[in-house]
Amino acid sequence: MAKSSTITSDVISSEKVEGTTVYNTAGEKLGSVDDLMIDKVSGQIRYAVLEFGGFLGMGTDRYPLPWNMLKYDTAKEGYVVPLDKDKLEKAPKYAETEVPEYTTDYGKRVYNYYGADW
């Protein structure tokens, strides 16, 4: 089957999501999607891991955001989240080399921080 570049769809490859810019509602760039965390049982995306901070890719932290917080904005060609930089800077985070175990307790802590429904 031939692929057409004019076909639009409601689904997207994770490969295309990774690297997509994330903005806050004020239009400020917060970072980009580094990874997606998928629930093994339900198959649903649980988190988008935002890469934020650092300089030239060094010293950046990863912030798991509840997936349902991200809304795609076609005009920006990126995701928008209802967060300001101060709230994000105080959010649960980890270094690239220190990925936490995504347990239920950790997930609830992340979701609670953002006031999202678990």
Side-chain angles (χ1 to χ4, degrees):
M1 178 176 217
K3 292 183 181 180
S4 172
S5 61
T6 59
I7 295 175
T8 60
S9 176
D10 290 339
V11 298
I12 188 170
S13 164
S14 63
E15 181 179 275
K16 292 189 182 223
V17 174
E18 294 168 1
T20 301
T21 302
V22 177
Y23 301 90
N24 63 18
T25 52
E28 299 171 306
K29 179 181 175 181
L30 296 178
S32 60
V33 177
D34 180 60
D35 205 356
L36 298 176
M37 304 304 288
I38 302 167
D39 184 288
K40 289 192 271 185
V41 176
S42 72
Q44 300 297 310
I45 298 173
R46 183 74 60 88
Y47 311 93
V49 180
L50 177 71
E51 187 176 55
F52 171 73
F55 182 70
L56 298 176
M58 303 206 28
T60 57
D61 288 315
R62 270 96 182 134
Y63 296 78
L65 301 175
W67 177 248
N68 60 7
M69 286 182 62
L70 284 80
K71 304 296 179 217
Y72 191 75
D73 184 321
T74 55
K76 288 183 172 42
E77 295 186 352
Y79 292 95
V80 177
V81 292
L83 296 173
D84 59 33
K85 287 184 180 181
D86 289 337
K87 176 103 176 165
L88 183 61
E89 288 173 349
K90 296 172 186 164
K93 65 182 176 183
Y94 57 89
E96 181 179 23
T97 58
E98 299 171 8
V99 178
E101 188 173 335
Y102 278 83
T103 63
T104 299
D105 288 340
Y106 180 75
K108 287 180 179 178
R109 186 168 68 100
V110 169
Y111 273 65
N112 286 338
Y113 178 81
Y114 293 109
D117 292 332
W118 175 254

Coordinates of all heavy atoms in Angstrom, one line a residue, residues 25-71:
T25 N 0.7 27.8 28.2 CA -0.4 28.6 27.6 C 0.0 30.0 27.3 O -0.7 30.6 26.5 CB -1.7 28.5 28.5 OG1 -1.3 28.9 29.8 CG2 -2.2 27.1 28.6
A26 N 1.1 30.5 27.9 CA 1.5 31.8 27.5 C 2.4 31.8 26.2 O 2.8 32.9 25.8 CB 2.4 32.4 28.7
G27 N 2.6 30.7 25.7 CA 3.4 30.6 24.4 C 4.9 30.4 24.6 O 5.6 30.4 23.7
E28 N 5.3 30.3 25.9 CA 6.7 30.1 26.2 C 7.1 28.6 25.9 O 6.4 27.7 26.3 CB 7.0 30.4 27.6 CG 6.7 31.8 28.0 CD 6.8 32.0 29.5 OE1 6.2 31.3 30.3 OE2 7.6 32.9 29.9
K29 N 8.3 28.4 25.3 CA 8.8 27.1 25.1 C 9.3 26.5 26.4 O 10.1 27.1 27.1 CB 9.9 27.1 24.1 CG 10.4 25.7 23.8 CD 11.6 25.7 22.8 CE 12.2 24.3 22.7 NZ 13.3 24.2 21.8
L30 N 8.8 25.4 26.8 CA 9.2 24.7 28.1 C 10.3 23.7 27.8 O 11.1 23.4 28.7 CB 8.0 24.1 28.8 CG 6.9 25.0 29.3 CD1 5.8 24.2 29.9 CD2 7.5 26.1 30.2
G31 N 10.2 23.0 26.7 CA 11.2 22.0 26.4 C 10.6 21.1 25.3 O 9.9 21.6 24.4
S32 N 11.0 19.9 25.3 CA 10.5 19.0 24.2 C 10.2 17.6 24.8 O 10.8 17.2 25.8 CB 11.5 18.9 23.1 OG 12.7 18.4 23.5
V33 N 9.4 16.8 24.1 CA 9.1 15.5 24.5 C 10.3 14.6 24.3 O 10.8 14.5 23.2 CB 7.9 14.9 23.8 CG1 7.6 13.4 24.2 CG2 6.6 15.7 24.0
D34 N 10.8 14.0 25.4 CA 12.0 13.1 25.3 C 11.6 11.7 25.1 O 12.3 10.9 24.5 CB 12.8 13.3 26.6 CG 14.1 12.4 26.5 OD1 14.9 12.6 25.6 OD2 14.2 11.5 27.4
D35 N 10.5 11.3 25.8 CA 10.1 9.9 25.8 C 8.6 9.8 26.1 O 8.0 10.7 26.6 CB 10.9 9.1 26.8 CG 11.0 7.7 26.6 OD1 10.5 7.2 25.6 OD2 11.7 7.0 27.4
L36 N 8.0 8.7 25.8 CA 6.6 8.3 26.2 C 6.7 7.1 27.0 O 7.4 6.2 26.8 CB 5.8 8.1 24.9 CG 5.6 9.2 23.9 CD1 4.8 8.7 22.8 CD2 4.9 10.4 24.6
M37 N 5.9 7.1 28.1 CA 5.8 6.0 29.0 C 4.4 5.4 28.8 O 3.4 6.1 29.0 CB 6.0 6.4 30.4 CG 7.4 7.1 30.7 SD 8.8 6.2 30.1 CE 8.9 4.9 31.4
I38 N 4.4 4.1 28.5 CA 3.1 3.4 28.1 C 2.8 2.4 29.1 O 3.7 1.6 29.5 CB 3.3 2.8 26.7 CG1 3.6 3.9 25.7 CG2 2.0 2.0 26.3 CD1 4.1 3.3 24.3
D39 N 1.6 2.4 29.6 CA 1.1 1.3 30.5 C 1.1 0.0 29.8 O 0.5 -0.2 28.8 CB -0.3 1.7 31.0 CG -0.9 0.8 32.0 OD1 -1.2 -0.4 31.7 OD2 -1.0 1.2 33.2
K40 N 1.8 -1.0 30.4 CA 1.9 -2.3 29.7 C 0.6 -3.1 29.7 O 0.4 -3.8 28.7 CB 3.0 -3.2 30.5 CG 4.4 -2.7 30.3 CD 5.3 -3.7 30.8 CE 5.6 -3.6 32.3 NZ 6.7 -4.5 32.8
V41 N -0.3 -2.9 30.6 CA -1.5 -3.6 30.6 C -2.6 -3.0 29.7 O -3.1 -3.7 28.9 CB -2.0 -3.8 32.1 CG1 -3.4 -4.5 32.1 CG2 -1.0 -4.5 32.9
S42 N -2.8 -1.7 29.9 CA -3.9 -1.0 29.1 C -3.4 -0.6 27.7 O -4.2 -0.4 26.8 CB -4.4 0.2 29.8 OG -3.4 1.2 29.8
G43 N -2.1 -0.4 27.5 CA -1.6 0.1 26.3 C -1.7 1.6 26.1 O -1.4 2.1 25.0
Q44 N -2.2 2.3 27.1 CA -2.4 3.7 27.0 C -1.1 4.4 27.4 O -0.4 4.0 28.3 CB -3.5 4.1 28.0 CG -4.9 3.5 27.7 CD -5.4 3.9 26.3 OE1 -5.4 5.1 25.9 NE2 -5.8 2.9 25.5
I45 N -0.9 5.6 26.8 CA 0.2 6.4 27.2 C -0.1 7.0 28.5 O -1.1 7.6 28.7 CB 0.5 7.6 26.1 CG1 0.8 7.0 24.8 CG2 1.6 8.5 26.6 CD1 0.9 8.0 23.7
R46 N 0.8 6.8 29.5 CA 0.6 7.3 30.8 C 1.3 8.7 31.0 O 0.8 9.6 31.6 CB 1.2 6.3 31.8 CG 1.0 6.6 33.3 CD -0.4 6.4 33.8 NE -0.9 5.1 33.7 CZ -0.8 4.1 34.6 NH1 -0.1 4.3 35.6 NH2 -1.4 2.9 34.4
Y47 N 2.5 8.8 30.4 CA 3.3 10.0 30.6 C 4.0 10.4 29.3 O 4.4 9.6 28.5 CB 4.4 9.9 31.6 CG 4.0 9.2 32.9 CD1 4.1 7.9 33.1 CD2 3.6 10.0 34.0 CE1 3.8 7.3 34.3 CE2 3.2 9.4 35.2 CZ 3.3 8.1 35.4 OH 3.0 7.5 36.5
A48 N 4.2 11.7 29.2 CA 5.1 12.3 28.2 C 6.2 12.8 29.1 O 6.0 13.5 30.0 CB 4.5 13.4 27.4
V49 N 7.5 12.4 28.8 CA 8.6 12.8 29.6 C 9.2 14.1 28.9 O 9.7 14.0 27.8 CB 9.6 11.7 29.8 CG1 10.8 12.2 30.6 CG2 9.0 10.5 30.4
L50 N 9.1 15.2 29.6 CA 9.5 16.5 29.0 C 11.0 16.7 29.4 O 11.4 16.5 30.5 CB 8.7 17.6 29.6 CG 9.1 19.0 29.3 CD1 8.7 19.3 27.8 CD2 8.4 20.0 30.2
E51 N 11.8 17.0 28.4 CA 13.2 17.4 28.6 C 13.2 18.9 28.8 O 12.7 19.6 27.9 CB 14.0 16.9 27.4 CG 15.5 17.1 27.6 CD 16.2 16.6 26.4 OE1 15.9 17.0 25.3 OE2 17.1 15.7 26.6
F52 N 13.7 19.4 29.9 CA 13.7 20.8 30.2 C 14.9 21.2 31.0 O 15.4 20.5 31.8 CB 12.4 21.0 31.1 CG 12.3 22.4 31.7 CD1 12.0 23.5 30.9 CD2 12.5 22.6 33.1 CE1 11.9 24.8 31.5 CE2 12.4 23.9 33.6 CZ 12.1 25.0 32.9
G53 N 15.4 22.4 30.7 CA 16.6 23.0 31.4 C 17.9 22.6 30.7 O 17.9 22.1 29.6
G54 N 18.9 22.9 31.4 CA 20.3 22.7 30.9 C 20.7 23.6 29.8 O 20.0 24.6 29.5
F55 N 21.8 23.3 29.2 CA 22.3 24.2 28.1 C 22.9 23.3 27.1 O 23.8 22.4 27.4 CB 23.4 25.1 28.7 CG 24.0 26.1 27.7 CD1 23.2 27.1 27.1 CD2 25.3 25.9 27.2 CE1 23.7 27.9 26.2 CE2 25.8 26.8 26.3 CZ 25.0 27.8 25.8
L56 N 22.5 23.4 25.8 CA 23.0 22.6 24.7 C 22.9 21.1 25.0 O 23.8 20.4 24.6 CB 24.4 23.0 24.4 CG 24.7 24.4 23.9 CD1 26.2 24.7 23.7 CD2 23.9 24.8 22.6
G57 N 21.8 20.8 25.6 CA 21.5 19.4 25.8 C 22.2 18.8 27.0 O 22.1 17.6 27.4
M58 N 23.0 19.6 27.7 CA 23.8 19.1 28.9 C 23.1 19.6 30.2 O 22.6 20.7 30.3 CB 25.2 19.6 28.9 CG 25.9 19.2 27.6 SD 27.6 19.0 27.6 CE 28.1 18.5 29.1
G59 N 22.9 18.7 31.1 CA 22.3 19.1 32.4 C 20.8 19.2 32.4 O 20.2 19.8 33.3
T60 N 20.2 18.6 31.3 CA 18.8 18.7 31.3 C 18.1 17.7 32.2 O 18.7 16.6 32.4 CB 18.2 18.5 29.8 OG1 18.7 17.2 29.4 CG2 18.7 19.5 28.9
D61 N 17.0 18.0 32.7 CA 16.2 17.1 33.6 C 15.0 16.6 32.8 O 14.6 17.2 31.8 CB 15.8 17.8 34.8 CG 16.9 18.1 35.8 OD1 17.8 17.2 36.0 OD2 17.0 19.2 36.3
R62 N 14.5 15.5 33.3 CA 13.3 14.9 32.7 C 12.1 15.0 33.6 O 12.3 14.7 34.8 CB 13.5 13.4 32.3 CG 14.1 13.2 30.9 CD 15.5 13.1 31.0 NE 16.1 13.0 29.7 CZ 17.1 13.7 29.3 NH1 17.7 14.6 30.1 NH2 17.6 13.5 28.1
Y63 N 11.0 15.5 33.1 CA 9.8 15.7 33.9 C 8.7 14.9 33.4 O 8.2 15.2 32.3 CB 9.4 17.2 33.9 CG 10.4 18.1 34.5 CD1 11.6 18.5 33.8 CD2 10.2 18.7 35.8 CE1 12.5 19.3 34.4 CE2 11.2 19.5 36.3 CZ 12.3 19.8 35.6 OH 13.2 20.7 36.2
P64 N 8.2 13.9 34.1 CA 7.1 13.1 33.6 C 5.8 13.9 33.7 O 5.5 14.4 34.8 CB 7.0 11.9 34.5 CG 7.8 12.2 35.7 CD 8.7 13.3 35.3
L65 N 5.1 14.1 32.6 CA 3.8 14.9 32.7 C 2.7 13.9 32.3 O 2.8 13.1 31.4 CB 3.8 16.0 31.6 CG 4.9 17.0 31.7 CD1 4.8 18.0 30.4 CD2 4.8 17.8 32.9
P66 N 1.6 14.0 33.1 CA 0.5 13.1 32.7 C 0.1 13.4 31.3 O -0.1 14.6 30.8 CB -0.6 13.6 33.7 CG 0.1 14.1 34.9 CD 1.3 14.8 34.3
W67 N 0.0 12.4 30.5 CA -0.3 12.5 29.0 C -1.5 13.3 28.7 O -1.5 14.1 27.8 CB -0.4 11.1 28.4 CG -0.7 11.2 26.9 CD1 -1.8 10.8 26.3 CD2 0.1 11.7 25.9 NE1 -1.8 11.0 25.0 CE2 -0.6 11.5 24.7 CE3 1.4 12.2 25.8 CZ2 -0.1 11.9 23.4 CZ3 1.9 12.6 24.6 CH2 1.2 12.4 23.4
N68 N -2.6 13.2 29.6 CA -3.8 13.9 29.3 C -3.7 15.4 29.5 O -4.6 16.1 29.2 CB -5.0 13.3 30.1 CG -4.8 13.3 31.6 OD1 -3.8 13.9 32.1 ND2 -5.7 12.7 32.3
M69 N -2.6 15.9 30.0 CA -2.4 17.3 30.2 C -2.0 18.0 28.9 O -2.1 19.2 28.7 CB -1.3 17.6 31.2 CG -1.7 17.4 32.6 SD -0.3 17.8 33.8 CE -0.1 19.6 33.4
L70 N -1.4 17.2 28.0 CA -0.9 17.8 26.7 C -2.0 17.9 25.7 O -2.7 16.9 25.4 CB 0.3 16.9 26.2 CG 1.6 17.0 26.9 CD1 1.6 16.2 28.2 CD2 2.7 16.6 26.0
K71 N -2.1 19.0 25.1 CA -3.0 19.2 24.0 C -2.2 19.7 22.8 O -1.4 20.6 22.9 CB -4.0 20.3 24.4 CG -4.8 20.0 25.6 CD -5.6 18.8 25.5 CE -6.4 18.5 26.8 NZ -6.4 17.1 27.2

